[in-house]
Amino acid sequence: MIRSDRLLTPVLLGGCLILMLSFAVRASFGVFQIPIGEEFGWPRAEFSLAIAIQNLAWGIGQPIFSAFAERFGDRKAIALGAVVYAAGLVLSAAAVTPAQHQLLEILVGFGVAGTGFGVILAVVGRAASAENRSMALAVTTAAGSAGQVFGAPAAEFMLGVMSWQSVFLVFAAVILGSLVALPAMRSPAPAASPSELEETLGQILVRAARDPSYTLIFLGFFSCGYQLGFVTAHFPAFVTEVCGPILPGGILHNIGITTTSALGAVSISLIGVANIAGTLLAGWAGRRFPRKYLLSGIYTARTFVAAAFILVPMSPATVILFSIAMGALWLATVPLTSGLVAHIWGLRYMGTLYGIVFFSHQLGSFLGVWLGGQLYDATGSYNAVWWIGVGVGAFSAIVHLPVREERTPLPAAA
C-alpha cells in the first residue's frame, strides 16, 4: 500500500469511526458518578477512583498496545483493544462494590488504549502524505471529539429509560460494532532512511530519553491530562450541584434542558462540538507555525479560561461559555504533540514514542480524577482541585518554550 496525496482516505475514515465510538463511551463516565454513587451509597471518591484507574490504565496500556501494533500489526492491536474494552464494560455492569469497579476499570482503560490515540494516530500518520499529515491527525482527533458530542448526552438519555447496568451493556455492543471499520485500517510501512530502518526500538527509546525536548514534551502533556480528566469525570456533577437554576421561559428551558443535571451532560457535549473546530484549526496551524509555540499558547489560554470560570458565580450562561471556550482548546494539543513527536523522531516508532508521552497525559488524568473525588469528600467543594489545574496549565505553557523542534540526528548507517 502506498501513501495517498488525498486527505480523505479509507484509513482516515476507518480511524475516525473507531476513535469516535471509543471516545463516545469513554467521555460518558462522568455522567455515571451520581447514579452509581447514589445506588450503592458510596462517597464521591469511590467511583472517582475507578475512573482515575481507568485513565491510568489507559496511559500504561498505550505504549504497550502501540508496541504490539508495531510488532504484530495494527489491526490485531485494535481488535484486541475492542474485545478487552467490551469485556470490561460487561463485567462492570455486574460489579456491586467499589473494589470491583476499580479493578474492572483496568480492563476498560486498556481497551481505550487499544482503540485510542496511540494506535489509531500512528496508522493514520503513516498513511498520510507529509503535506496532509498534520491535518489528517487533526481530523482523526476531532473525530474523538465528535464521539464526546453525543456520548455523554446519550448516556444521560439512556439512564432515563434503563438502568446504568443496561447502558454499560449497550456501550459494550457499540465498541464491538466499531470493528466494522477494521478492514480499512491498513497503512504502508513508515518512510525511513536506511539509518532509521536499522535503528531498533530500544535504540530510539534511548535516543529520545537523552533528548531534553522529549522530556519537556512528556512533562508538558501532564497538565492536559489533569484538566481533561478532571472535567470529564467531575464537571457534570459539579454543574449539577453548584450551577444556578435554569429558569422557565429561557432558551435552555425551551429546548428541553430543564435541570442542572441535563446541563452537566450537555456541557460535555458542547466541549466536544467546540473541540472539533479547535482541533482542526490546530492541525491547520501546525503546518504553518512552530508547534511548540502553538502548544504554549493553548495552555496559556486554558489557564485564563479556567481561572475566569472559577472566579465568577456559576450560572447556566457561564457553564455554556466555559464549555465552548475550553472545548476549543480541549484536544487541540493532541495533533500538535503527536505531530511534534513524528517530526522530531520519525514515523517508524511514532506509536510507541507518542504512547510514552501519552502516559504523562494519563498520569495527569489519574490525579485530576482522583484528587477531584478526594478533595470533594474532604472539603465539600471542587475549588481546590480546580486551582491546581490552573497551576499545572501555567506550568505547561512555560515548559514547551525551550523544546527544540528540529529533527534529531540519526545514527550513522553501518
Side-chain angles (χ1 to χ4, degrees):
M1 181 180 177
I2 61 174
R3 287 171 185 81
S4 172
D5 291 330
R6 296 180 294 115
L7 175 62
L8 295 179
T9 63
V11 175
L12 178 64
L13 296 176
C16 285
L17 178 63
I18 293 171
L19 257 184
M20 181 175 64
L21 295 178
S22 176
F23 275 49
V25 174
R26 185 200 67 83
S28 72
F29 274 87
V31 177
F32 296 94
Q33 278 268 19
I34 293 177
I36 292 179
E38 288 182 347
E39 177 172 331
F40 296 112
W42 297 343
R44 187 68 50 87
E46 295 290 6
F47 193 67
S48 294
L49 180 58
I51 301 176
I53 289 172
Q54 177 200 121
N55 280 285
L56 187 60
W58 179 10
I60 294 171
Q62 194 68 86
I64 294 173
F65 271 92
S66 295
F68 182 93
E70 288 159 356
R71 175 66 178 85
F72 298 105
D74 303 307
R75 290 187 290 180
K76 291 180 180 178
I78 296 168
L80 178 61
V83 170
V84 172
Y85 199 159
L89 289 166
V90 170
L91 293 172
S92 293
V96 295
T97 69
Q100 288 172 344
H101 273 281
Q102 292 155 10
L103 180 63
L104 292 169
E105 286 307 304
I106 296 175
L107 289 179
V108 175
F110 270 79
V112 176
T115 56
F117 285 136
V119 178
I120 303 297
L121 291 182
V123 180
V124 171
R126 289 196 300 268
S129 64
E131 294 75 17
N132 287 329
R133 185 166 295 123
S134 182
M135 184 55 70
L137 293 173
V139 169
T140 311
T141 303
S145 296
Q148 183 173 322
V149 170
F150 65 82
E156 178 75 12
F157 171 78
M158 285 189 285
L159 284 171
V161 297
M162 65 180 72
S163 66
W164 64 265
Q165 293 93 338
S166 297
V167 178
F168 273 28
L169 296 178
V170 171
F171 280 164
V174 167
I175 293 301
L176 292 177
S178 71
L179 293 180
V180 69
L182 197 60
M185 300 304 294
R186 301 180 63 185
S187 67
S193 66
S195 295
E196 189 175 349
L197 287 173
E198 291 179 3
E199 193 173 25
T200 66
L201 175 59
Q203 289 172 330
I204 198 169
L205 288 176
V206 170
R207 185 158 61 88
R210 291 175 176 172
D211 190 336
S213 292
Y214 191 72
T215 302
L216 292 173
I217 294 170
F218 179 91
L219 294 174
F221 219 17
F222 174 90
S223 76
C224 181
Y226 181 98
Q227 293 167 337
L228 270 60
F230 169 75
V231 171
T232 300
H234 292 285
F235 199 61
F238 191 17
V239 172
T240 298
E241 297 173 345
V242 178
C243 183
I246 298 172
L247 300 178
I251 295 176
L252 291 176
H253 197 279
N254 290 339
I255 63 175
I257 303 172
T258 59
T259 66
T260 54
S261 175
L263 179 61
V266 169
S267 68
I268 299 298
S269 179
L270 282 175
I271 289 172
V273 171
N275 185 51
I276 294 173
T279 302
L280 293 176
L281 179 61
W284 174 87
R287 291 182 56 187
R288 294 163 174 81
F289 305 102
R291 295 177 181 90
K292 65 177 184 178
Y293 294 131
L294 293 172
L295 285 166
S296 180
I298 289 169
Y299 287 118
T300 299
R302 279 192 190 180
T303 299
F304 282 107
V305 167
F309 178 73
I310 201 66
L311 287 172
V312 300
M314 189 189 300
S315 68
T318 64
V319 169
I320 291 172
L321 290 174
F322 170 80
S323 299
I324 294 172
M326 183 59 80
L329 307 164
W330 190 252
L331 291 178
T333 59
V334 173
L336 296 173
T337 302
S338 59
L340 197 56
V341 170
H343 175 72
I344 299 175
W345 293 283
L347 288 169
R348 187 179 184 196
Y349 297 114
M350 172 192 170
T352 301
L353 290 172
Y354 175 71
I356 293 171
V357 170
F358 193 73
F359 173 72
S360 174
H361 183 284
Q362 292 310 104
L363 183 60
S365 292
F366 172 85
L367 289 176
V369 177
W370 178 71
L371 280 177
Q374 289 290 325
L375 293 179
Y376 178 88
D377 286 339
T379 67
S381 168
Y382 284 118
N383 286 355
V385 71
W386 192 279
W387 280 111
I388 293 172
V390 171
V392 296
F395 169 79
S396 286
I398 296 170
V399 82
H400 279 92
L401 295 176
V403 169
R404 178 192 48 76
E405 200 156 336
E406 295 79 16
R407 189 176 178 87
T408 59
L410 293 168

